[in-house]
Amino acid sequence: MSKPTDPLAPLLSERLQVGDCVVDIPLREVRAPGSRRAVRITPKSLGVLLVLVENAGKVVSRDILLAEVWPNTLPTNDVVTQAITQLRKAFAVGRDHPNYIETIAKSGYRLLAPVEWLAAEMIEAPLRIAPAKVAEEPLARQETAPTSQLRADATVVTVPKQPPVQKQALRWKQRVLLVGGVALIAALVWAGWRWQSAEGLGSAAAIKQQLTAPTRPYQLITSAPGFEFSPTLSPDGSLVAYLSSPAEEIVGSSILVQATNQSQPRELTRPPTGAWDSNPEWSPNGREIAFLRRVPGEDCRIMAVSVAGGDERVLGDCDPGNRPSFDWTPDGSGLIFSSAARSAGSPGLRVLDLKTGRWRHLQYGATEDDVDFAPRYSPDGRWIVFIRSTPLGDLWRIPAGGGGAERLTRQYAELRGWDWTPDGRAIVYGRRVDGHTRLYWLSVANGQIRDLGIEDAQAPTIADRANALAFVQRKPHFGIYRVSTDAGDLSGPQRLFASSGRDTLPSVAPDGRQIVFTSDRSGEFALWWADMERPTSLHVIEGIRPESRYLPVWSPESRRVLVIGSDAAGNFGLYEINPANGQVVRLQVPQSAGDLLTAAYLPDPKRLLVITGSSDGGQRLTLFDRGDDKWRLLATLEGVSLAKLDPSQGRILLTYAAREGLWQTDLALSPDSLRRVDGTYPSSQRYRTWSVSEDGHIEYLEQLAGCFVSLRHIGVGRSHPAPRCVQPAHLSSVNGFSSSARNRAVYVAMAQDDGADIGFMSLPSLMELRSEEEQLADP
């Protein structure tokens, strides 16, 4: 095929032959030889294919794919993996025979199949493709595992190089189709843009318009300094209520109401000094807003106020030591609340009858170890969905009248809010991935999950009777700080490594010199190592993509690090890393242990502690002996959310997901050695924000009125002295921190720049996702 003389000339072909398969560009369909029907791929998968086609036979890095197909966004690498996985399935290529797209470890992907643009006369003729055996697996059956586990598993094999494609024609074709096709399709999905016809590409003005960055599908309707968060939409979607805290101030959060545009808000509540208003929820009739008024540790009231303003009324009392979550019942006669504290009677969800003031516990088999949070009724009133085991949990549902609980997701993720779509067929939820929060779309019918591509978004709320979505957009930049624990040191927090990225999960070695942490400073989320006495030693550890839920854990002799994550081939598991030489080894934890969450070393190098998730949504601590080829299970403790070695006293310190305080046991997890160390700290919601140094000192980070980051000493024999304010105006990461007895310091990830605004968008563009999912799922 000859290269067109004019790059603005009409398109010569709409079909592309890749190996034995034919790709219909406008329809986004791939027809494999011998298949009964064509398979439709997503716009992003098509974009990835076209980039690979232009560079056929060459390795294309993930960074290039992200820049070409996901411009002006901050997606995770998982989107590339999912696109490659979908292409392989569409080409009917099994994992053991990657003869179309090859994975190049630590580099990217390479298209190996021969490529040819089909001429117009070939399009009309019947396709003559030799039949071949193909795997007919509908795309609807692709994995819906946690994002952390959606990795490519292809084996790298040596394949003879295929004939090169005509580069000039492909470069022209890719430029027009990728920008003019994929960008417009993506814009259609997100913002309802219209397709332009092939004839519409025939002007310089049209090409220039397509090369312009697409308009984002949402607008920010608040822009004041500080934090605007916890939005709730009126049933008709015309108004939004949210919490507001001014810049450099955390006390006195008020509820504001405004139209869902950039109009001026009005203050609906003004809490008294020392109190916080939180959890605003719009009533089904649109006339009032329920909320909590709390004085932490002292008082908690369930309140309501008319949307028009006026006097507030008290609906009931709540636990001042916890912040419950709630929603209105469909008829507006009551409020459904999250699990109460263990000492507050029956476990599980409960309903407050607003007329009588009486509480009613729902019967669905909840136990004292189940912490059920953020309950919401489905639009038709038949179901209740909630998050179990927050802050690392999953979505579950029960019949509204009670009954057995059903698990909807299996991610053990940091879920940041969720809501139903108006038709009740899908759920939109926020989740933290790789240091960022994003919105995801969950189909309730088939469990499929889609990344909506809205960066730094959380706390979604959807209008009951309108196609409107609001959410919180927060874009903090975290740095790693050293904070002295010496009472005489008044130097304040000291930042370790300059970066414009997000540095989190700092884990200092027992030797006090080495530190590892996670960061996206290179453009990809990765694990970094440094000798703190030699700042220039900072470098990325290749071959591992860490999870962001827990800290990496050092061995007692400071030579090895345990990390949950994925290797270059996308294999998820527990990895042991030697930072000195960059060696990364996958540990063969028995699959029967459950979903891997975190692990810890013991003084005996043959023994490891592993925390996993169980099928009932809980967590379990297991002690393994890995001395032989086959790992041996030695002991287990149910409900444990975090475990750390205290080498100074030869004990293991524990927290529980459903219990307040700190616990300890011996190194063998003997049941008779289990006892409480501290009955107050940590709280069950902040069970990762504590650390123990080599000399047994236990530190706890908390958020208090007037101070975003406070450091407190906890443990047996301590009288809980007044906490020390480390950072009054910026939040710390809630995933954990570490401490060093040698340096008399803690190492904390704290935000440099922070704030939050409310975003708003129309839901019809998101509803098209459901239509596309139905097409992909149609066998």
Side-chain angles (χ1 to χ4, degrees), residues 333-391:
S333 66
L335 301 173
I336 181 170
F337 274 78
S338 57
S339 298
R342 290 173 63 93
S343 59
S346 300
L349 305 176
R350 54 201 179 120
V351 176
L352 172 64
D353 188 304
L354 298 181
K355 185 176 182 179
T356 65
R358 295 178 180 176
W359 291 93
R360 173 174 58 89
H361 287 268
L362 297 180
Q363 302 301 316
Y364 60 100
T367 69
E368 290 185 348
D369 291 329
D370 295 324
V371 180
D372 296 338
F373 193 76
R376 291 189 180 277
Y377 285 90
S378 61
D380 60 9
R382 295 177 53 200
W383 301 95
I384 299 170
V385 167
F386 54 87
I387 300 173
R388 172 161 287 181
S389 299
T390 185

Side-chain angles (χ1 to χ4, degrees), residues 404-472:
E406 175 190 1
R407 193 170 185 173
L408 298 180
T409 64
R410 195 183 186 91
Q411 298 185 327
Y412 290 99
E414 288 187 62
L415 300 181
R416 304 290 180 88
W418 73 276
D419 206 352
W420 292 92
T421 57
D423 61 4
R425 300 174 65 178
I427 286 171
V428 175
Y429 66 91
R431 179 191 171 183
R432 188 174 188 271
V433 178
D434 292 353
H436 298 255
T437 54
R438 305 178 67 82
L439 295 184
Y440 292 84
W441 175 283
L442 167 68
S443 170
V444 177
N446 59 28
Q448 288 201 357
I449 296 174
R450 291 284 300 271
D451 185 342
L452 297 184
I454 304 177
E455 71 277 5
D456 297 298
Q458 57 185 298
T461 177
I462 299 174
D464 292 341
R465 299 190 295 272
N467 293 321
L469 166 72
F471 58 90
V472 172

Side-chain angles (χ1 to χ4, degrees), residues 565 567 571-576 584-589 591 596:
D567 63 11
N571 299 309
F572 180 82
L574 173 62
Y575 289 84
E576 189 171 48
V584 177
V585 178
R586 185 179 181 183
L587 302 182
Q588 299 301 317
V589 182
Q591 293 184 355
L596 293 171

